[in-house]
């Protein structure tokens, strides 16, 4: 008898072959020959289609029960934590095995062994950085702690899933098998997460830009600071009372610590540009636009009288999603939320009493060093010549010739090289870190005080943590290790290249690939904190106007932060004052008003009205002016005004920047953000270099927009702003693996964050009232198995701004999707 599941699997197999046939322009029969795996009831992929969740399993770590709810979320319950995390590992291994292996291969520099030479450059970069060695050092520091057995049990669970089931479809398509999962691999995933949030070579690219642009143009496009008034910690007379007890920030009107860093415009800033190297490294930096929203309001402003916390991290959107939702109940805690596959513990979530979320700080935790080399390839370090640490490393290439590289290190860390250009790199993730202990402790925290204390061990990445508890406590803390740099004894910022031979900017207490004591880093008590704030919002904007220590300069534009604070201020203090509930915060989290329109729209309309060029072809612009004038400034999928504004801004950026970058090596990766472009005044040296006015460029950009709209046949914003960029890693070759493309709301500047140009957006949405209800949604499904019913069940709801409940309750077996019982291994 063919079951309903088998019937659905057969349908998907036929659909897959049909789509492949259409893409390649061949017959379905030929597609079946090409992808034998997809022929119903035959071929190696049918083994993948036949994967079934077991009803019972043995566990070497004692009994556990996994109840998978109707949304595909496992509720793991066990008396022994080892038994619980063995089951968690099994679930990750079953639901996300290809994702686990792919990310591990990327970080190890082993992609080419599977997919060929197209990933050689990526493998070379990752091999030179040697992330696995940093992961090994981290595991060595954790192994002997109480978390060591839990991580080992998790790894055993992943391997049991590998051994017990046919491999997922992707392995059959690529014809390889995963290696066993190890505890070190868990920490390699931690390094991957940390790199995706803090790994950037901004100082190197800044030096290249300074070298290739006229100084006035450079200063206009690359200011040290975005001069807005929307920091996270609003230390001013109107808002200070909302922040509670504040630490690590100068009081209103005061200067920061006199030992604070200089502003980076002094004569010590290096302009030793390395263009080819910078261009190569740009491909491996954190994805542009990575950020997040979070906020917390105290119980004084909620209908239930207890705080509400919201968090939506903006990360790369993939098929399957980056996050995995789980609940784990043991005698120690009952915690639900999301983690990254490969990491055993909940990273963002809530337990019985406490909820927490994180956003990226944008802190400067990577430095580049230049050196003097001699003819024997030694480098000078202070008063002596030193040999580089070297190691030959072979990169395996499927179907091609293997590549052997020489990994080199200096006292500061790995030496990265391209076309005879070299820099040494120090990064806080390249040493042993204790972040997993902090994450574990957050899951067990019984209140704000314990959660804040847990962050002492949150070494990397640097995050804005917001936390709230059922007793009314709220807090904000900057986590992560933040280096203090000095040149000749003077504290300086890190937005520059340092002379490594002179020992400039070194981090005291930092040991690459070893154990660091962090003695030369900002003390925990001196990092920005706010204890018991009434209202606080983070959107990756500047932490504070005057922090006691230099944090960084890679902050986001203020648009999202401005909108969140405006809505909260108006509702909680202003003309519409009143209590808020969970629904209010869900609506705010999916808000689509674009503050860039407030910044630019009136100027554009004025430019059209006054421009002689516009009058020459006035009729072609009248409809556009009317559409933009009546637009609500919300980036909704059916809005014609949203389409015109979004595409106009892209064309305006091109008109402003492309002529300036012409004749240089600078590309789009060097382009300043929207706020900087919008702030360029008519008399800016940028426009003097153009020999055309700002108004003229705005009008030309609008003409281009109208031509593009008509040529493409677009009507509303959703005709362009679709989810099609959200794809499976092999979605281009096998598009049936992607989610269905849909029109979407939101932009890179809206609270409801979606960036069609980079497939970055709200990778998880959560709104929680500690001790009460919580709601969340992932952009896809909890399963990464194409043939699983839970592959894409949440995607449409995520696009439409809907949520599902997150109860700390196990569904009854009759309501569950599946139940797996782990029994203790019978030694007999």
């Amino acid at each position: 008898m063919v079951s309903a599941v088998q019937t659905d699997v057969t349908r998907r197999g036929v659909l897959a072959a049909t789509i492949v046939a259409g893409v390649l322009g061949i017959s379905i029969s030929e597609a079946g020959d090409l992808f034998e795996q997809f022929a119903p009831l035959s071929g190696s992929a049918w083994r993948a289609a036949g994967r079934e969740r077991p009803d019972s399993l043995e566990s070497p770590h004692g009994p556990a029960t996994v109840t998978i709810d109707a949304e595909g979320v496992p509720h793991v319950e066990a008396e022994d934590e080892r038994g619980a995390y063995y089951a968690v590992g099994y679930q990750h291994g079953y639901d996300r095995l290809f994702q686990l292996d792919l990310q591990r291969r990327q970080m190890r520099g082993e992609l080419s062994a599977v997919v060929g030479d197209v990933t050689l450059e990526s493998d070379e970069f990752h091999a030179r950085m040697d992330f696995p060695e940093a992961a090994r050092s981290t595991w060595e520091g954790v192994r002997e702690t109480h978390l060591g057995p839990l991580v080992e049990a998790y790894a055993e669970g992943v391997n049991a899933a590998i051994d017990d089931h046919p491999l997922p479809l992707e392995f059959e398509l690529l014809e390889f098998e995963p290696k066993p999962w190890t505890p070190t691999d868990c920490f390699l995933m931690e390094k991957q997460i940390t790199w995706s949030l803090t790994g950037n070579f901004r100082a190197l690219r800044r030096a290249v830009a300074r070298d290739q642009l006229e100084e006035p143009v450079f200063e206009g496009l690359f200011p040290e600071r975005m001069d807005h008034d929307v920091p996270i910690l609003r230390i001013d007379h109107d808002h200070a009372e909302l922040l509670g007890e504040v630490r690590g920030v100068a009081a209103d009107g005061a200067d920061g610590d006199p030992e604070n860093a200089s502003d980076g415009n002094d004569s010590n800033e290096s302009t030793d540009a390395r263009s080819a190297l910078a261009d190569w490294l740009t491909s491996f930096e954190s994805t542009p636009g990575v950020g997040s929203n979070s906020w917390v309001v105290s119980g004084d402003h909620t209908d239930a009288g207890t705080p509400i916390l919201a968090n939506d991290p903006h990360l790369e959107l993939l098929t399957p999603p980056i996050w995995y939702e789980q609940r784990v109940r043991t005698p120690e805690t009952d915690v639900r939320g999301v983690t990254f596959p490969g990491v055993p513990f909940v990273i963002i979530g809530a337990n019985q009493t406490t909820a927490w979320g994180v956003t990226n700080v944008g802190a400067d935790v990577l430095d580049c060093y230049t050196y003097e080399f001699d003819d024997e390839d030694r480098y000078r370090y202070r008063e002596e010549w030193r040999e580089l640490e070297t190691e030959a490393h072979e990169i395996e290439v499927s179907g091609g010739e293997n590549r052997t590289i020489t990994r080199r290190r200096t006292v500061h860390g790995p030496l990265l090289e391209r076309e005879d250009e070299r820099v040494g790199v120090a990064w806080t993730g390249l040493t042993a870190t204790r972040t997993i202990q902090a994450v574990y402790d957050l899951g067990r925290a019984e209140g704000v005080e314990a959660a804040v204390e847990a962050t002492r061990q949150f070494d990397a990445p640097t995050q804005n943590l917001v936390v709230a508890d059922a007793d009314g406590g709220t807090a904000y803390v900057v986590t992560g290790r933040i280096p203090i740099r000095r040149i000749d004894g003077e504290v300086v910022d890190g937005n520059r290249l340092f002379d490594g031979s002179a020992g400039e900017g070194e981090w005291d207490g930092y040991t690459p690939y070893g154990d660091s004591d962090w003695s030369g880093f900002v003390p925990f008590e001196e990092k920005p904190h706010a204890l018991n704030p009434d209202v606080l919002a983070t959107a990756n904007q500047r932490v504070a106007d005057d922090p006691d220590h230099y944090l960084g300069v890679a902050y986001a534009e203020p648009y999202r932060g401005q909108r969140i604070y405006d809505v909260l201020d108006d509702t909680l203090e202003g003309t519409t004052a009143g209590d808020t509930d969970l629904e209010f915060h869900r609506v705010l989290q999916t808000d689509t008003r674009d503050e860039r329109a407030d910044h630019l729209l009136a100027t554009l309309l004025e430019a059209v009205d006054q421009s002689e060029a516009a009058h020459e072809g006035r009729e072609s612009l009248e409809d556009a002016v009317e559409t933009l004038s009546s637009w609500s400034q919300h980036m909704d999928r059916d809005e014609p005004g949203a389409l015109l504004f979004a595409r106009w801004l892209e064309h305006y950026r091109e008109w402003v920047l492309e002529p300036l970058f012409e004749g240089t090596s600078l590309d789009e990766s060097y382009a300043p953000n929207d706020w900087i472009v919008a702030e360029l005044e008519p008399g800016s040296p940028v426009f003097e270099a153009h020999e055309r006015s700002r108004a003229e460029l705005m009008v030309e950009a609008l003409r281009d927009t109208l031509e593009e709209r008509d040529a493409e046949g677009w009507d509303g914003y959703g005709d362009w702003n679709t989810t099609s960029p959200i794809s499976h890693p092999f979605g281009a070759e096998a598009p049936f693996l992607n989610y269905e493309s849909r029109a979407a709301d939101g932009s890179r500047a809206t609270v409801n964050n979606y960036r069609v140009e980079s497939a970055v957006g709200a990778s998880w949405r959560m709104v929680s009232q500690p001790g009460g209800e919580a709601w969340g949604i992932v952009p896809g499904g909890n399963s990464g198995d194409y043939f699983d019913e839970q592959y894409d069940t949440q995607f449409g709801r995520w696009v439409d701004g809907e949520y599902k409940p997150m109860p700390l309750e196990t569904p009854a077996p009759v309501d569950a999707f599946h139940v797996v019982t782990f029994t203790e291994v019978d030694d007999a």
Side-chain angles (χ1 to χ4, degrees), residues 298-315:
S298 74
D300 291 342
H301 304 294
T302 70
D303 61 343
T306 54
I308 291 178
L309 179 146
N311 185 212
D312 56 301
H314 307 158
L315 301 174

Side-chain angles (χ1 to χ4, degrees), residues 203-233:
L204 181 60
R205 287 188 287 108
R206 179 180 174 83
V208 172
R210 180 185 286 276
D211 187 59
Q212 298 192 30
L213 296 173
E214 296 293 331
E215 187 66 21
V217 172
F218 172 83
E219 295 294 343
L221 297 181
F222 299 95
E224 281 287 334
R225 175 187 175 109
M226 288 184 284
D227 191 19
H228 60 77
D229 58 357
V230 196
I232 293 171
L233 297 174

Side-chain angles (χ1 to χ4, degrees), residues 70 109 144 154 158 207 245 324 330 344 361 391 519 533 549 555 607 615 618 721 749 799:
E144 301 304 322
Y154 171 90
V158 173
E245 180 186 347
Y324 183 87
T330 66
V361 173
E391 177 188 25
S519 58
H549 295 272
Y555 298 122
H615 283 292
R618 184 72 186 182
N721 196 61
V799 173

Side-chain angles (χ1 to χ4, degrees), residues 124-139:
E124 180 180 339
F125 168 77
H126 288 89
R128 290 191 184 281
M129 288 292 290
D130 201 2
F131 296 108
E133 182 64 14
R136 185 201 59 77
S137 295
T138 299
W139 166 235

Side-chain angles (χ1 to χ4, degrees), residues 127-246:
R128 290 191 184 281
M129 288 292 290
D130 201 2
F131 296 108
E133 182 64 14
R136 185 201 59 77
S137 295
T138 299
W139 166 235
E140 288 302 317
V142 172
R143 183 199 295 269
E144 301 304 322
T145 72
H146 70 287
L147 294 186
L150 305 187
V151 176
E152 289 175 327
Y154 171 90
E156 291 175 37
V158 173
N159 290 327
I162 294 174
D163 294 339
D164 288 354
H165 300 284
L167 294 173
L169 176 62
E170 294 91 340
F171 291 99
E172 302 292 356
L173 289 174
L174 293 170
E175 299 181 340
F176 79 99
E177 296 182 0
K179 297 176 183 177
W181 193 260
T182 70
T184 296
D185 292 330
C186 293
F187 296 97
L188 193 60
M189 295 302 95
E190 179 189 308
K191 302 303 178 184
Q192 190 268 339
I193 298 158
T194 303
W195 180 260
S196 71
L197 294 170
T198 64
N200 74 79
F201 297 94
R202 187 180 188 278
L204 181 60
R205 287 188 287 108
R206 179 180 174 83
V208 172
R210 180 185 286 276
D211 187 59
Q212 298 192 30
L213 296 173
E214 296 293 331
E215 187 66 21
V217 172
F218 172 83
E219 295 294 343
L221 297 181
F222 299 95
E224 281 287 334
R225 175 187 175 109
M226 288 184 284
D227 191 19
H228 60 77
D229 58 357
V230 196
I232 293 171
L233 297 174
R234 301 181 293 175
I235 309 297
D236 58 57
H237 296 300
D238 293 332
H239 301 105
E241 73 278 4
L242 300 176
L243 289 177
E245 180 186 347
V246 179

Side-chain angles (χ1 to χ4, degrees), residues 257-455:
D257 190 326
E259 289 296 310
N260 200 357
S262 63
D263 65 6
N265 287 319
D266 56 52
S267 59
N268 286 327
E269 182 172 3
S270 171
T271 59
D272 187 7
R274 284 158 167 73
S275 176
L277 180 60
D279 292 346
W280 182 60
L281 294 176
T282 294
S283 302
F284 314 116
E285 292 183 299
S286 55
T287 304
V290 165
S292 307
N293 302 319
S294 68
W295 61 88
V296 61
V297 298
S298 74
D300 291 342
H301 304 294
T302 70
D303 61 343
T306 54
I308 291 178
L309 179 146
N311 185 212
D312 56 301
H314 307 158
L315 301 174
E316 190 172 6
L317 301 173
L318 298 169
T319 307
I322 284 179
W323 296 101
Y324 183 87
E325 186 179 359
Q326 64 189 42
R327 174 179 169 235
V328 179
R329 183 175 179 269
T330 66
E332 287 75 19
T333 192
D334 188 352
V335 59
R336 178 169 182 167
V338 288
T339 187
F340 294 102
V343 177
F345 311 122
V346 167
I347 296 172
I348 297 172
N351 59 29
Q352 306 98 314
T353 64
T354 310
W356 62 96
V358 292
T359 66
N360 206 29
V361 173
D364 187 350
V365 295
L366 184 151
D367 282 344
C368 292
Y369 300 87
T370 63
Y371 304 95
E372 179 184 351
F373 290 91
D374 68 8
D375 294 339
E376 298 179 15
D377 210 28
R378 297 180 303 174
Y379 72 103
R380 186 174 64 82
Y381 179 63
R382 297 188 183 273
E383 303 303 323
E384 63 180 5
W385 290 95
R386 292 197 176 189
E387 300 286 344
L388 292 165
E389 296 180 40
T390 61
E391 177 188 25
H393 177 81
E394 185 175 50
I395 301 172
E396 182 182 351
V397 181
S398 175
E401 184 177 348
N402 292 356
R403 176 184 291 183
T404 299
I405 64 171
T406 300
R407 288 197 287 219
R408 296 178 173 87
R409 292 182 190 170
T410 73
V411 67
H412 300 111
L415 189 72
L416 301 182
E417 307 172 79
R418 203 70 173 170
E419 298 182 13
D420 298 324
E421 298 173 356
R422 300 172 168 182
V423 293
V425 175
W427 175 57
T428 53
L430 283 181
T431 186
T433 51
R434 303 169 300 165
T435 301
I436 198 167
Q437 179 70 59
V439 170
Y440 174 82
D441 288 345
L442 280 169
R444 299 177 57 183
E446 296 182 0
V448 162
E449 184 176 349
V452 170
E453 185 64 23
T455 65

Side-chain angles (χ1 to χ4, degrees), residues 763-766 775-779 794 797-798 802-804:
S763 59
W764 163 248
R765 294 191 185 113
M766 182 185 77
W775 296 75
I777 196 84
V778 294
Q794 298 179 52
R797 285 176 288 168
W798 173 83
E802 299 174 6
Y803 293 73
K804 60 178 184 56

